[in-house]
Amino acid sequence: MSTRRGEAMTARELARVLGVSQSAVSRAFTPGASISPDMRERILAAADKHGYRPNVIASILSTRRSNIVAILISDLQNPFYFGLIEKLTRALQAVGQQSLLFNVTPGSDVGRQLVALRQYHVDAIIVVSATVLSGATLAKATEGRRAILVNRLDDGAGLTSVCCDNVAGARAIADHFYALGHRRAAYVAGLPNTSTNLERRHSFVGRLAELGMVLTRVVDGGAYTYEAGRRAALEIARETQTEAIFFANDILAAGGIDALRDEAGLSVPRQVAVAGFDDIAMAGWDHYSLTTYRQPIDEMVAVAIRELMGPSSAIEISAHRLAGELVVRRSSA
C-alpha cells in the first residue's frame, strides 16, 4: 500500500500493511505498553521502512498523556546543576519520558512562565532548587500533576522532596576541621534564605559550638558564584584570624581559594583550610583539590524517578534525605 504523494503514512495504513491492529501499532510506540518484543521490533522496522511517524499531538489528545516532564530551575550559574540535569534527563529517557526545561530566573515574569508550564500539558514536574518560587506558588503551579522537589526541602508546597543530608554533611566538615586542629572557622553562604543553605549553616554553626570552636564570621555571598566566593574570602581574610572556611558549595570555594592565594597572599591549606559542598568536577582539579561533601546525585535521581513514575495510589508526601560522603583533598589537609 502506498500513501498519497507528500502525505505521511497513518497508523491505520501501517497496521493494514502489517496485518495487525491499529492498537498494536500504538502500543509499539508507547514505552511500557503490553506488546511482545518481537512484535514491537517488527512494527518499528516496518515504520522505518515506510516512513511512518506517530502523531504525538493525536496521542496526547487520546491518552491525555504527553510523556513530557517539566524541569524547573532558577540557578543555572551553579555547575552542580549541569550534572544533575544531565542525569535527570537521561533517567527520564530510560523510562520513556522527555524533558522540558523552564529556567525561572530572578526578575523574570514568573506568572507567564507558570502559565506556559500549564499550557504544555506536561505529565509531571521536577523542581530543581527553583528558589524564586515560594511554596504557595509551587503548590499552584504543580496542582493536578505529580511533582517532586530535588535539592530543595518542602517549604509549604506540600510536595515530596529528595535531597542530600545537609545536616550530616555540614557537621562532618566541622568535625574534619576540628580533627585537623583548627579552632576558629567561618561560614560563607550563597543564597542566604534557601532551605539547603539554612540547613548547612545552622548545622555547621551548631557543631562548632558543640566542639568548643569559635565562629569567626558568617558571610552571605548573595549567590552561588565564583565571584561571590572570592569577595567573601577577601572579607574574611581582612577582618578575622580564621583558620578554616566552609563555603556552602564548591563554586564559592573555588573563588575563595583563588582569592586567598592570589590576592590575600595566604597559603591554602597551611594558613587557611577550605572546604566546599557538592563535589562538582572542578573540585577534583589539581589546582583546587577541594575537600568537599559529595552529594549522592545518582541516588537522588533514582528516588525522584521512582516517586514520579510509581503508581498513583502510592503517592505520599515524604522527605528523602540521602547520605553523602566527605571527600578529603589538599585544600584542607
Side-chain angles (χ1 to χ4, degrees):
M1 171 178 287
S2 62
T3 59
R4 292 182 295 276
R5 185 180 300 274
E7 293 186 8
M9 174 175 275
T10 66
R12 179 178 297 176
E13 291 167 341
L14 181 62
R16 194 172 300 166
V17 167
L18 291 169
V20 300
S21 67
Q22 188 174 338
S23 65
V25 172
S26 176
R27 290 197 303 276
F29 287 91
T30 303
S34 177
I35 185 172
S36 71
D38 289 344
M39 178 61 75
R40 173 177 275 118
E41 187 62 33
R42 179 186 168 203
I43 292 173
L44 293 180
D48 186 61
K49 176 182 176 181
H50 294 284
Y52 168 74
R53 296 293 181 272
N55 187 325
V56 176
I57 294 176
S59 176
I60 293 173
L61 292 174
S62 64
T63 65
R64 297 188 179 275
R65 290 187 58 83
S66 63
N67 292 327
I68 297 175
V69 176
I71 299 177
L72 269 64
I73 189 168
S74 62
D75 189 12
L76 280 174
Q77 295 186 80
N78 186 348
F80 169 72
Y81 292 119
F82 298 152
L84 177 58
I85 290 174
E86 193 271 339
K87 288 180 180 291
L88 276 172
T89 55
R90 282 179 177 269
L92 287 168
Q93 290 171 358
V95 293
Q97 304 292 307
Q98 296 302 318
S99 53
L100 187 61
L101 183 67
F102 286 80
N103 184 17
V104 187
T105 57
S108 64
D109 189 336
V110 174
R112 181 175 296 179
Q113 289 268 39
L114 297 183
V115 168
L117 175 65
R118 301 188 73 84
Q119 289 175 335
Y120 276 97
H121 300 289
V122 298
D123 293 336
I125 301 172
I126 299 174
V127 182
V128 180
S129 196
T131 53
V132 299
L133 301 179
S134 66
T137 303
L138 279 177
K140 182 177 181 180
T142 58
E143 185 178 7
R145 292 174 173 81
R146 302 189 76 160
I148 189 167
L149 302 172
V150 178
N151 200 44
R152 174 175 171 176
L153 300 173
D154 190 356
D155 54 1
L159 300 176
T160 288
S161 61
V162 55
C163 66
C164 178
D165 190 339
N166 296 294
V167 173
R171 290 174 66 88
I173 290 170
D175 288 342
H176 175 62
F177 286 159
Y178 184 85
L180 293 172
H182 302 308
R183 297 297 181 265
R184 298 174 60 84
Y187 177 76
V188 176
L191 293 169
N193 296 320
T194 60
S195 58
T196 51
N197 173 71
L198 290 173
E199 281 204 331
R200 291 171 196 176
R201 172 178 174 168
H202 292 160
S203 302
F204 181 70
V205 172
R207 185 57 177 159
L208 292 186
E210 292 173 5
L211 294 170
M213 297 173 66
V214 176
L215 177 68
T216 59
R217 190 68 192 274
V218 172
V219 179
D220 288 333
Y224 287 109
T225 63
Y226 176 93
E227 183 59 28
R230 189 192 70 81
R231 290 194 306 267
L234 291 178
E235 184 177 327
I236 292 170
R238 282 194 303 265
E239 299 180 4
T240 66
Q241 294 297 315
T242 295
E243 301 167 349
I245 306 174
F246 172 29
F247 291 84
N249 81 342
D250 290 347
I251 193 64
L252 285 168
I257 287 174
D258 285 344
L260 291 169
R261 287 173 174 166
D262 301 338
E263 299 180 62
L266 297 174
S267 171
V268 177
R270 186 172 60 83
Q271 291 174 281
V272 182
V274 171
F277 203 106
D278 290 339
D279 197 28
I280 62 175
M282 185 186 295
W285 293 359
D286 189 63
H287 175 73
Y288 295 108
S289 189
L290 177 64
T291 291
T292 186
Y293 195 77
R294 178 181 295 157
Q295 294 216 49
I297 295 181
D298 290 338
E299 190 178 356
M300 290 164 63
V301 168
V303 170
I305 300 301
R306 185 181 72 226
E307 290 284 349
L308 285 180
M309 299 296 113
S312 300
S313 59
I315 297 177
E316 293 183 5
I317 306 303
S318 57
H320 301 273
R321 297 174 184 268
L322 308 180
E325 176 188 1
L326 180 66
V327 180
V328 178
R329 299 191 179 100
R330 292 197 310 273
S331 70
S332 66

